[in-house]
Amino acid sequence: MNNATEPEYVDQVDLSRGRPVRIQQVTPQRYLAIMPWGQLQSIVPDPRQAEIPRALQYLSAAQREQAELRNEIQRTIQGTKKKANAKDYASYIAAGLRGDRGERWATPPFALWLPGDMDVVRFRSPFGDDLLAYMPFDATGVLVDAETQHLAHILLQEDPSTYQISKGQVTNRLVSVEIYHQIGLRDARQIFHDRNLLGVIPNKNVALASDSSNMATNITFSLLERVVIPSSNAGSEAPLERLVSTRPRQLKATDPEWMTLSSLRAFVVTALFGRAGFDKTSGSITELPRGCSVELAEEAIGDAATLIFGAFAKQFDNRADHVIAAPAMLAALGAVSHRAMPWAAEPRRTGEQLLTLLSDVNWSKDPLVWDGSVGKATTNARTGEATLSLAGGVKDSGSKTATALEDPSSPRYRQIRSRQ
């Protein structure tokens, strides 16, 4: 539907135009509807499929697009409490459907984002105009809220006998749905953020990715598109967005990405504020330093990221054996890069001086090199060999690592440039 065109008046339902849903308009982009859960299921596929890379190749183009959009917005299911919560939710809904709870149960509306078209018409009635939406038969959407409830219904449908209900009770259950239409991905992500932040709080990485009102987050997202660097894992050249994971809190050793979104954002925050940024990495950034604008920050921090990530792409590709992708190290690299920013105090570094400063650093994960800065030397309980723990975090280890990187008077400055 185009906002500039009022819905046409009709006097009968035309089933050839799509699945009819009676709706009530709240705002130009938001509607309320009541529908059987089975109809919602036809629009929103099982979200678990979106997290199985092998399964995506068997989906249609529209289904793959839906899965990609879903993964841009929603929390991960596998390996999180969301999976267990869905089982508990399923038991709760089943108890309500069986009548065990009487009227003492309720579920909130589903919040559905429809990226595609929705054909809306109106009927005249004694109480004013009624609106009817024709959902395209192949329509797909993403839940920006209540996905756990949706998964709970899927679990009930898959095994109704275990919950002592029938499949029809699940499929035919009437549910309320908020439909968000004609909004973009960033707006949908913001609705997810706002609807979830005060409930079960998403992990840090998901919360940061969702909050488009945060200036540091917006600058970070701009780097994903602006910065293009070489990577042996992603081909001869790749945009940074292919090397940054916007979903998990931590990367597994086998993941091809270089860093998480929160780690890249820490680089951005310390590049903005220097060492004062270490204490700001986990908070919302609503003001930029004096002399800095969003446009200037995107350009200058993007240039620094291109230099550093490009020069040390091999170490990032092999992050399991190097310290360069550790969150504290990325924050420290941002703080060192701050001296190359046009809003930083004099004396400033040139990009060439920045690379020269870092060129002789030993990035290998050697406990004798990095103990006391980015990590702590420990002993492997099984082998008895010395190893390096990177569990310190940005606030604990960031400043010490920045000192080792850029202060020639520090003993650690020489320590991390030894044993090449």
Side-chain angles (χ1 to χ4, degrees):
M1 182 183 73
N2 190 319
N3 284 337
T5 304
E6 288 292 323
E8 64 176 305
Y9 281 100
V10 298
D11 54 14
Q12 61 183 359
V13 176
D14 183 359
L15 296 179
S16 67
R17 296 173 67 166
R19 299 187 186 94
V21 179
R22 189 178 180 185
I23 59 176
Q24 183 174 0
Q25 187 171 27
V26 180
T27 70
Q29 284 77 37
R30 183 184 175 201
Y31 300 84
L32 298 179
I34 303 294
M35 65 179 70
W37 175 80
Q39 184 169 359
L40 179 66
Q41 184 190 27
S42 69
I43 300 170
V44 183
D46 187 339
R48 294 171 297 183
Q49 294 182 16
E51 297 182 11
I52 305 174
R54 293 189 303 274
L56 297 180
Q57 62 183 314
Y58 301 109
L59 301 179
S60 67
Q63 290 172 327
R64 284 196 299 272
E65 181 180 3
Q66 188 276 342
E68 290 169 0
L69 290 173
R70 181 265 170 198
N71 289 342
E72 285 279 340
I73 294 173
Q74 272 290 349
R75 297 186 185 99
T76 304
I77 297 172
Q78 295 298 325
T80 68
K81 291 182 179 180
K82 187 172 183 177
K83 186 175 182 180
N85 290 344
K87 293 181 179 179
D88 293 339
Y89 214 154
S91 297
Y92 173 79
I93 295 171
L97 293 175
R98 291 194 305 266
D100 296 351
R101 303 184 64 90
E103 296 300 321
R104 301 184 308 277
W105 73 290
T107 56
F110 294 86
L112 171 66
W113 173 41
L114 283 179
D117 293 327
M118 186 170 67
D119 185 14
V120 178
V121 297
R122 64 176 69 185
F123 291 84
R124 290 187 173 89
S125 77
F127 305 102
D129 291 342
D130 282 346
L131 294 179
L132 185 74
Y134 291 109
M135 296 281 186
F137 295 111
D138 59 348
T140 59
V142 176
L143 291 174
V144 293
D145 197 23
E147 188 182 70
T148 303
Q149 183 189 164
H150 188 53
L151 180 56
H153 281 80
I154 293 173
L155 296 177
L156 291 174
Q157 189 185 54
E158 289 177 343
D159 192 11
S161 60
T162 296
Y163 294 92
Q164 301 175 3
I165 58 174
S166 68
K167 193 171 183 177
Q169 285 178 282
V170 182
T171 303
N172 298 324
R173 183 192 174 218
L174 292 178
V175 295
S176 55
V177 182
E178 296 175 341
I179 302 174
Y180 293 88
H181 185 231
Q182 292 184 329
I183 64 173
L185 173 60
R186 175 165 290 190
D187 291 335
R189 187 187 285 123
Q190 186 70 48
I191 292 171
F192 167 82
H193 175 273
D194 296 346
R195 294 286 293 265
N196 286 273
L197 190 60
L198 299 180
V200 179
I201 299 177
N203 71 51
K204 177 182 175 183
N205 209 44
V206 173
L208 291 174
S210 304
D211 189 5
S212 59
S213 64
N214 191 316
M215 299 178 78
T217 300
N218 289 337
I219 295 169
T220 303
F221 272 112
S222 77
L223 298 190
L224 299 183
E225 300 177 359
R226 176 186 292 268
V227 177
V228 178
I229 46 184
S231 166
S232 59
N233 281 347
S236 59
E237 197 173 66
L240 188 58
E241 64 182 342
R242 290 175 55 187
L243 301 170
V244 176
S245 174
T246 60
R247 295 171 56 230
R249 187 187 313 201
Q250 293 181 331
L251 294 177
K252 299 188 289 292
T254 56
D255 288 335
E257 293 88 357
W258 286 3
M259 64 194 79
T260 63
L261 183 73
S262 61
S263 295
L264 177 62
R265 184 181 177 278
F267 174 89
V268 168
V269 172
T270 52
L272 284 169
F273 297 98
R275 296 193 180 220
F278 289 123
D279 289 331
K280 301 176 184 290
T281 54
S282 59
S284 179
I285 304 299
T286 57
E287 294 185 3
L288 297 178
R290 185 187 300 272
C292 177
S293 65
V294 171
E295 294 76 16
L296 185 59
E298 290 176 351
E299 180 179 356
I301 299 176
D303 289 345
T306 300
L307 283 174
I308 294 174
F309 299 159
F312 303 107
K314 290 183 180 179
Q315 287 84 353
F316 278 104
D317 275 338
N318 190 17
R319 60 180 172 81
D321 295 327
H322 296 85
V323 298
I324 196 166
M329 179 61 75
L330 283 163
L333 288 170
V336 173
S337 300
H338 174 73
R339 288 273 307 279
M341 299 297 125
W343 58 87
E346 297 281 4
R348 299 192 186 110
R349 293 188 177 102
T350 65
E352 183 178 353
Q353 289 171 330
L354 176 61
L355 285 185
T356 299
L357 177 68
L358 302 174
S359 62
D360 58 352
V361 172
N362 181 356
W363 302 107
S364 63
K365 197 177 288 185
D366 187 335
L368 297 178
V369 173
W370 293 102
D371 180 40
S373 53
V374 77
K376 180 179 180 180
T378 60
T379 302
N380 187 303
R382 184 174 60 84
T383 65
E385 296 179 351
T387 186
L388 184 71
S389 170
L390 300 175
V394 170
K395 294 183 179 180
D396 293 335
S397 304
S399 183
K400 292 183 290 186
T401 305
T403 297
L405 290 174
E406 69 176 348
D407 185 358
S409 66
S410 167
R412 292 195 177 101
Y413 180 90
R414 295 182 294 276
Q415 178 179 324
I416 69 170
R417 289 166 171 83
S418 64
R419 299 173 60 85
Q420 291 278 19

